[in-house]
Amino acid sequence: MCGIVGYIGNNAVEEVLLDGLKNLEYRGYDSAGVALNDNGSIDVFRAEGKLNNLYDVLAGVRARVHHSGQGIGHIRWATHGGATLDNAHPHKSNDGKLALVHNGIIENFETLKAQLQQKGYHFFSQTDTETAVHLIDDEYKQCGSLEAAVIRAVNQLKGAFAFCIMHQNEPDKIIAVRKNAPLIVGLGHDENFIASDIPALVGKAEKIIYLDDNELAIVRQNDVTVKNFNGQVISKRAEPLSLEPEAISKRGYKHFMLKEINEQPDIIRGQLALRLPDVNRPVVLEGINPAVLTAGIRRVEIIACGTSLHAAAVARYVMESLCRIPVSVEAASEYIYQPHLTDAQTLVVGISQSGETADTLTALKQARAAGARILALTNREDSSIVRCADMVLPLKAGIEVSVAATKSYTAQLMSLYLLALSIAEAGKTLPAEEILSLKRELLQIPAKLEEILSNSGEIQQCALKFSSFKNFVFMARGVNLASALEGALKLKEISYINANGYAAGELKHGPIALLDEHMPVVAVLIPGSQTYDKMLSNCEEVYARKARLIAVSPVEDLRQKAMFDTVLLIPHCREIFSPLLVNIPLQLLAYYIADNLGREVDQPRNLAKSVTVE
Ligand code: M6R
């Protein structure tokens, strides 16, 4: 949610900033801008919409701006104020000497704004950010030092903020500030960088300093000093940046989403090699001892948002079945504001691909304060969620660039299956031979994922046939209810088609009124499930209302039934693991429909990959 970058060094600052912003575009695309220290004065260039528009703006003035050695940049996901040029960052002080970019929300901006207006400051945007600019400027005018002014100002701000700040009178530095919004400092040779996230620094910085909340970094070309909000120096460790540029490239695919969907078999194979190297030995969960994890625990709460919440719903079914422990699932944004029973006997599992989702972080902090033990599942071992947790189970999916979560979901599911198996093994809640058989079945999953991906032509055909429909229903039962919800989320977020997931048994309690020949219904039918026959009956009910049915199922014979328009085949597997397989055709269906419609698949409107505001 907004991406910020900063650079100080001898290379062409404009290029470095634009390159960094390009790799952060998944964080927002409402506007983009850079501020460059151009021979003693600060020039700001901004554009509405995507980063490409900023390239165009800069192309017109390129001759003027290539020589600077200090600059900051921003891509915006609008919170306060529309996606307009006036609201685009960087924002400047009234005298034009100070420029700032911001990610987060300043909660007390209205009070501060009124005070600053009384002092004569003029505001030119509807943003909360401009308040920070004028507040720092006001302090600067009193104390004459950018660092001191920033420290004074940040102590007056409430909310979440990551800033990069530069001042014309102090061209030797950029100040980076972090409170409840991610920010890292990249170290290079005779140059230093600042960014919201690692992709902006790949191929540039050699080492990284992770700022913690309530810290600021004074970043010079050859020196970085980190201080707390009291001005005391803090010693920080710089860690190597090992990610290769290849990790954030499309590798020949048309979109990141398609590349990431196709990476899933290898990701799962990698997890299994690491965590299940020998079916006759217990599951290995990097440093997590399941007996210690669950000692004294009476219940589990799983907290997440969006796609991660759907992984949580699968996990509830799986943990209750395999581990015989009560599990509740909460959307983080709801957990925060409702009474809950979290206590020292509760294991709270927080799931977040990015590890930066503000709602999830706040909920986990609350749960921790209530005495719960916290396990975090995340794809970003360097993210904030790690600092909220007692234990961390990494997803090992590699950087996910497309805004729509795909490979991280599959990686979450596999991590949760292995977690549940590990707890079941330690607690002996299942017979040993049953655990062995489950493990053996899990080892077959990567090949089955490959089989689905190699037959994607059928899914493309289906997408072609159904791309013009304006509404979809997804229905399933049991462990695949989450698959229906996730399939619908994927379709709506990247194609903008209205799609809703339902428990198939609930259809007749209201949603069936929606059905007619204009409403395709995607149904998940898994044989061997106790609800298979019920699902078939539900499909009959749908067919009777003239809705066209798309089945996702391993049952080839369904193709003989007149009621199914299309059957997307998946390999056979136990129902409990079937969400891993069902998910792939649903991801591809959404992808191909969105692509047929010419949507911006990797950057759907109004969304951002990392939702760092509550
Ligand atoms: O990084 P997180 O897993 O915490 O993100 C949660 C949701 O914001 C995310 O899953 C979102 O729903 C995606 N756009 C889904 O594709």
Side-chain angles (χ1 to χ4, degrees):
M1 217 129 259
C2 297
I4 63 182
V5 291
Y7 175 72
I8 186 159
N10 293 331
N11 282 314
V13 66
E14 171 207 351
E15 309 289 333
V16 177
L17 296 177
L18 289 174
D19 208 36
L21 291 175
K22 184 87 208 130
N23 289 336
L24 291 185
E25 244 193 324
Y26 62 86
R27 300 180 70 88
Y29 22 87
D30 286 334
S31 63
V34 291
L36 306 166
N37 191 337
D38 185 17
N39 284 335
S41 72
I42 291 181
D43 285 341
V44 168
F45 304 95
R46 305 184 297 179
E48 263 180 59
K50 296 205 164 201
L51 190 59
N52 281 343
N53 301 343
L54 181 63
Y55 279 85
D56 295 343
V57 167
L58 284 164
V61 290
R62 191 155 299 248
R64 285 176 46 209
V65 298
H66 66 278
H67 40 51
S68 172
Q70 181 205 26
I72 56 180
H74 188 270
I75 39 164
R76 180 164 187 251
W77 186 86
T79 57
H80 293 61
T84 62
L85 191 60
D86 284 344
N87 291 330
H89 299 216
H91 291 284
K92 280 175 93 170
S93 56
N94 285 170
D95 64 8
K97 292 183 176 176
L98 186 148
L100 175 149
V101 289
H102 170 215
N103 170 31
I105 289 180
I106 296 163
E107 288 166 3
N108 58 337
F109 83 99
E110 278 175 330
T111 319
L112 292 167
K113 184 173 177 176
Q115 290 165 4
L116 289 159
Q117 278 171 327
Q118 274 190 351
K119 288 186 173 183
Y121 279 95
H122 297 291
F123 285 73
F124 298 97
S125 75
Q126 290 80 50
T127 65
D128 51 336
T129 303
E130 218 186 337
T131 309
V133 178
H134 300 320
L135 185 64
I136 297 169
D137 181 64
D138 187 40
E139 294 294 350
Y140 184 82
K141 294 214 154 74
Q142 293 171 48
C143 70
S145 146
L146 184 60
E147 180 188 325
V150 169
I151 290 177
R152 286 192 199 188
V154 294
N155 281 296
Q156 298 169 58
L157 298 175
K158 295 196 178 124
F161 44 87
F163 296 132
C164 282
I165 309 148
M166 54 194 254
H167 198 289
Q168 183 177 298
N169 297 352
E170 301 193 21
D172 64 324
K173 66 176 80 74
I174 300 172
I175 299 198
V177 180
R178 174 188 166 133
K179 184 179 180 186
N180 296 331
L183 202 59
I184 53 180
V185 178
L187 309 181
H189 263 306
D190 206 20
E191 59 182 355
N192 286 315
F193 309 82
I194 304 158
S196 298
D197 200 359
I198 288 178
L201 305 185
V202 172
K204 297 190 184 75
E206 290 161 11
K207 290 186 169 178
I208 289 185
I209 294 175
Y210 292 94
L211 293 182
D212 284 304
D213 285 339
N214 303 313
E215 288 180 354
L216 64 135
I218 300 103
V219 181
R220 295 186 171 84
Q221 185 167 344
N222 286 300
D223 175 67
V224 175
T225 307
V226 179
K227 297 190 174 180
N228 64 20
F229 283 7
N230 296 323
Q232 290 152 337
V233 174
I234 301 188
S235 145
K236 302 285 284 190
R237 206 158 53 94
E239 294 173 25
L241 198 172
S242 48
L243 210 64
E244 295 298 326
E246 174 75 356
I248 51 167
S249 80
K250 283 188 199 154
R251 296 218 313 259
Y253 285 95
K254 185 173 179 188
H255 295 103
F256 280 106
M257 183 176 177
L258 191 57
K259 180 195 97 163
E260 287 160 3
I261 290 173
N262 277 283
E263 283 173 347
Q264 294 176 110
D266 282 345
I267 290 164
I268 295 308
R269 201 169 271 124
Q271 269 204 33
L272 289 167
L274 190 70
R275 295 172 175 162
L276 194 49
D278 180 349
V279 282
N280 295 308
R281 301 192 65 80
V283 173
V284 197
L285 296 177
E286 304 100 297
I288 298 174
N289 178 334
V292 174
L293 180 71
T294 54
I297 294 297
R298 296 169 68 104
R299 52 194 289 276
V300 177
E301 286 175 351
I302 314 184
I303 299 174
C305 302
T307 289
S308 299
L309 186 63
H310 298 150
V314 173
R316 178 174 61 183
Y317 185 101
V318 173
M319 288 178 115
E320 290 192 337
S321 307
L322 306 188
C323 314
R324 314 300 304 156
I325 188 164
V327 181
S328 61
V329 171
E330 299 283 355
S333 54
E334 288 299 308
Y335 178 93
I336 297 166
Y337 299 105
Q338 73 192 19
H340 38 72
L341 305 173
T342 315
D343 60 15
Q345 295 176 321
T346 314
L347 171 65
V348 169
V349 181
I351 310 176
S352 174
Q353 185 285 130
S354 62
E356 299 293 350
T357 299
D359 287 321
T360 307
L361 296 180
T362 305
L364 293 187
K365 284 175 193 164
Q366 280 186 10
R368 193 169 209 184
R373 192 169 305 157
I374 313 287
L375 170 67
L377 267 71
T378 183
N379 200 29
R380 301 299 301 271
E381 290 167 67
D382 49 3
S383 63
S384 303
I385 200 171
V386 172
R387 289 181 272 275
C388 305
D390 299 300
M391 282 168 259
V392 177
L393 187 56
L395 300 176
K396 307 260 178 222
I399 297 258
E400 190 175 63
V401 176
S402 185
V403 165
T406 53
K407 62 176 182 173
S408 62
Y409 179 63
T410 300
Q412 285 166 350
L413 292 183
M414 183 51 86
S415 297
L416 290 160
Y417 283 120
L418 290 167
L419 175 69
L421 270 178
S422 169
I423 294 173
E425 268 180 320
K428 297 191 171 39
T429 48
L430 282 180
E433 54 285 8
E434 175 65 358
I435 290 190
L436 188 62
S437 143
L438 287 166
K439 285 176 172 173
R440 287 199 170 119
E441 176 118 23
L442 271 187
L443 290 176
Q444 294 169 22
I445 295 292
K448 293 182 180 181
L449 296 178
E450 272 162 355
E451 193 181 325
I452 303 171
L453 289 167
S454 63
N455 292 320
S456 65
E458 218 168 28
I459 304 167
Q460 281 188 59
Q461 288 302 318
C462 177
L464 260 182
K465 208 192 271 185
F466 287 95
S467 289
S468 60
F469 284 81
K470 303 281 180 260
N471 301 285
F472 274 74
V473 162
F474 288 69
M475 67 174 189
R477 285 172 178 254
V479 70
N480 277 305
L481 172 54
S483 306
L485 298 173
E486 175 59 11
L489 174 63
K490 222 71 316 162
L491 183 60
K492 76 182 123 191
E493 73 177 328
I494 61 167
S495 72
Y496 320 147
I497 291 171
N498 178 38
N500 292 299
Y502 297 104
E506 278 296 297
L507 229 62
K508 57 188 170 294
H509 298 290
I512 202 165
L514 296 168
L515 300 190
D516 61 17
E517 65 274 28
H518 304 297
M519 176 74 83
V521 175
V522 181
V524 180
L525 293 118
I526 305 297
S529 143
Q530 56 169 343
T531 57
Y532 181 70
D533 291 339
K534 292 270 181 290
M535 272 303 301
L536 277 176
S537 306
N538 295 142
C539 288
E540 294 282 5
E541 290 153 15
V542 166
Y543 184 56
R545 270 83 193 171
K546 299 192 170 55
R548 289 167 74 177
L549 268 161
I550 303 165
V552 178
S553 176
V555 183
E556 211 163 343
D557 288 355
L558 292 183
R559 289 193 163 146
Q560 312 312 320
K561 290 187 185 286
M563 69 175 159
F564 292 108
D565 183 290
T566 305
V567 179
L568 300 176
L569 281 180
I570 55 171
H572 280 274
C573 84
R574 284 186 195 228
E575 185 195 18
I576 197 162
F577 295 142
S578 62
L580 282 163
L581 305 187
V582 167
N583 183 36
I584 309 296
L586 298 186
Q587 289 174 349
L588 285 170
L589 185 64
Y591 171 78
Y592 286 120
I593 290 179
D595 192 34
N596 290 341
L597 294 173
R599 305 293 191 231
E600 295 252 22
V601 172
D602 286 330
Q603 294 174 353
R605 68 184 181 202
N606 304 337
L607 291 174
K609 180 95 188 138
S610 196
V611 185
T612 55
V613 294
E614 279 180 34

